[in-house]
Amino acid sequence: MVARDAGSREHGPELRSLPSVEELAASLELPHAVAVAAAREAIAARRDALLADDPPAGWDAHADALARARAGEAPHLRGVINATGVIVHTNLGRAPLPAAAVDAIAAAASGYSNLEYDLDAGARGSRHAHVEGLLRELTGAEAAMAVNNCASAVLLAAAALAAGRELIVSRGQLVEIGGSFRVPDVVAQSGARLVEVGTTNRTRLADYERAIGPEAGAVMRAHQSNFRTVGFVEEVEIEQLCGLGVPVIDDVGSGALAERLPELADEPPVRRSVAAGAAIVCFSGDKLLGGPQAGLMVGTRDAIERCRTHPLARALRIDKLSLAALEATLRLYRDPARALREVPVLRMLAAGEDELRRRAEAMRERIDGADVIRAAAKVGGGALPLLELEGPVCAVDPGDHGADELARRLRAYEPPVIGRVRDGWLVLDPRTMSDDEARQAAAAVAAALAG
Ligand SMILES: *Cc1c(COP(=O)(O)O)cnc(C)c1O
């Protein structure tokens, strides 16, 4: 408070002579609301600086307000270059879409579509029809639907099969996935009564058998997506759970659909859960599937029908743009080799040493004092926590700036470049960048080091 008083006393004349919002706004020659917002922001910032006794010299009210108006015109949600090597980076928008999915979005967005219209019958149709056939073919399930995201899928499945009844879950699977998704909380929201069985590290079939009574609505299995328990551990396999005689909801999280990809070996395959007889298998569209945000539900005809007709289904429904992207992405999976070539997430997972080294070297050549070293990145997105994706990366010596300051400058670049700081170095991982993005990232680093 002392500084504030001193500041206001010393800068009193300037505080009193600040322009009025209306006066400054009128000088900007911009739409009224834009001008007023920018003027108000500029004046408030100047007043705060004066009161804090830290006013930058040579303030030009007009230029300041104009700059703020211009900054406000740039999109707030914008593209960034992901140099972290984390493929499914939830903070950076998870999966970049295949080109086919981008085209499908553009087509669905720019005109009308048969979203809920049956072209044969000339009558109302179902939005689920666009992906149900593909999901059945790819997973072997009798029926399928898509909702907003996997959290929605789990909530809907639990509500449809177990509201007002008991939902049995192993204590080893009462997990938190991230973004406030906690299995016990989701079960509570569904209206089912959670019945915990087993222990944190070991749950046996007999634990489930003892817990199942006349009130049992379903058994739920939740994949330990972002961590693993090791050592003295035991969980019941999906085939055994499906033999218990109650419907099984299997939340596999990422959901491995791609075949023949050794990197995915540690994720539960959707097909296996379907073949085992799970009533509903839930998985994400934008994790390792590499498509848009969506929650996929595949299972028995009866269970999926109960989900479709549940009142929550409308609240959790998928929008037409995501649906268009999802259909296009799933179509790629009909040809596994094509999926590996065209789904960016799969391509990055399987990227070869030569490709990564070439891109890392290209960055090194453009940056003074950079080196190519080996480092490991994670898949991210709460998947495959034990998998280390090792490969060549470009490591930048930040010099006197320090790595955190260099990282900050890169975030202020257009487009922003998000790197990884490790042991005082700034690391640029070629796995999550295209050749062109790697060139832009290197140019940004060169400029940041020089500036
Ligand atoms: C990620 C995940 C979810 C939530 O999926 P979203 O698509 O992010 O809603 C639910 N369950 C498991 C096991 C997960 O890994």
Side-chain angles (χ1 to χ4, degrees), residues 294-310:
L296 309 181
M297 309 177 76
V298 302
T300 62
R301 207 168 288 116
D302 173 59
I304 295 295
E305 187 57 24
R306 282 164 73 176
C307 292
R308 267 188 205 184
T309 52
H310 191 279

Side-chain angles (χ1 to χ4, degrees), residues 61-62 94 184 220 267 309 378 449-450:
H62 183 83
R94 288 201 181 160
M220 184 157 102
E267 285 289 321
T309 52
K378 292 284 185 193
L449 286 173

Side-chain angles (χ1 to χ4, degrees), residues 94 148-152 154 175 177 181 222-226 251-254 283-287 293-295 381-382:
R94 288 201 181 160
N148 181 60
N149 58 6
C150 188
S152 303
V154 176
V175 299
I177 304 295
F181 182 92
H223 182 49
Q224 287 183 343
S225 294
N226 45 13
D251 174 14
V252 295
S254 250
F283 55 107
S284 259
D286 58 351
K287 290 185 180 170
Q293 179 187 308

Side-chain angles (χ1 to χ4, degrees), residues 144-363:
M145 64 185 284
V147 290
N148 181 60
N149 58 6
C150 188
S152 303
V154 176
L155 176 65
L156 181 57
L161 300 192
R165 300 169 64 92
E166 291 173 351
L167 184 59
I168 296 134
V169 187
S170 161
R171 289 197 172 90
Q173 295 167 11
L174 295 174
V175 299
E176 171 173 315
I177 304 295
S180 324
F181 182 92
R182 291 177 148 191
V183 168
D185 297 345
V186 174
V187 172
Q189 289 300 319
S190 76
R193 292 191 301 280
L194 177 65
V195 174
E196 306 177 6
V197 297
T199 63
T200 307
N201 57 325
R202 305 195 86 179
T203 301
R204 300 188 190 81
L205 193 61
D207 295 319
Y208 288 96
E209 285 167 346
R210 266 196 302 277
I212 291 174
E215 282 295 292
V219 166
M220 184 157 102
R221 183 177 85 143
H223 182 49
Q224 287 183 343
S225 294
N226 45 13
F227 73 106
R228 291 290 181 270
T229 41
V230 295
F232 193 55
V233 296
E234 182 176 350
E235 285 284 5
V236 181
E237 298 290 349
I238 187 69
E239 289 78 8
Q240 289 180 289
L241 290 181
C242 292
L244 283 166
V246 284
V248 173
I249 299 167
D250 194 14
D251 174 14
V252 295
S254 250
L257 273 195
E259 293 159 24
R260 291 178 276 165
L261 202 57
E263 287 81 2
L264 292 182
D266 215 18
E267 285 289 321
V270 176
R271 256 187 184 280
R272 175 176 165 184
S273 299
V274 169
I280 304 176
V281 185
C282 305
F283 55 107
S284 259
D286 58 351
K287 290 185 180 170
L288 293 173
L289 187 75
Q293 179 187 308
L296 309 181
M297 309 177 76
V298 302
T300 62
R301 207 168 288 116
D302 173 59
I304 295 295
E305 187 57 24
R306 282 164 73 176
C307 292
R308 267 188 205 184
T309 52
H310 191 279
L312 268 179
R314 168 59 194 265
L316 304 175
R317 78 181 181 188
I318 186 171
D319 78 289
K320 67 176 178 179
L321 303 186
S322 300
L323 195 55
L326 181 61
E327 181 187 354
T329 305
L330 291 173
R331 248 172 229 298
L332 297 175
Y333 276 90
R334 301 182 83 187
D335 175 354
R338 185 166 178 213
L340 284 186
R341 278 197 311 274
E342 296 189 27
V343 176
V345 164
L346 300 183
R347 215 168 50 212
M348 291 186 237
L349 258 180
E353 178 81 15
D354 291 350
E355 174 191 343
L356 297 172
R357 178 160 298 279
R358 185 177 47 68
R359 207 173 287 142
E361 292 288 353
M363 286 190 282

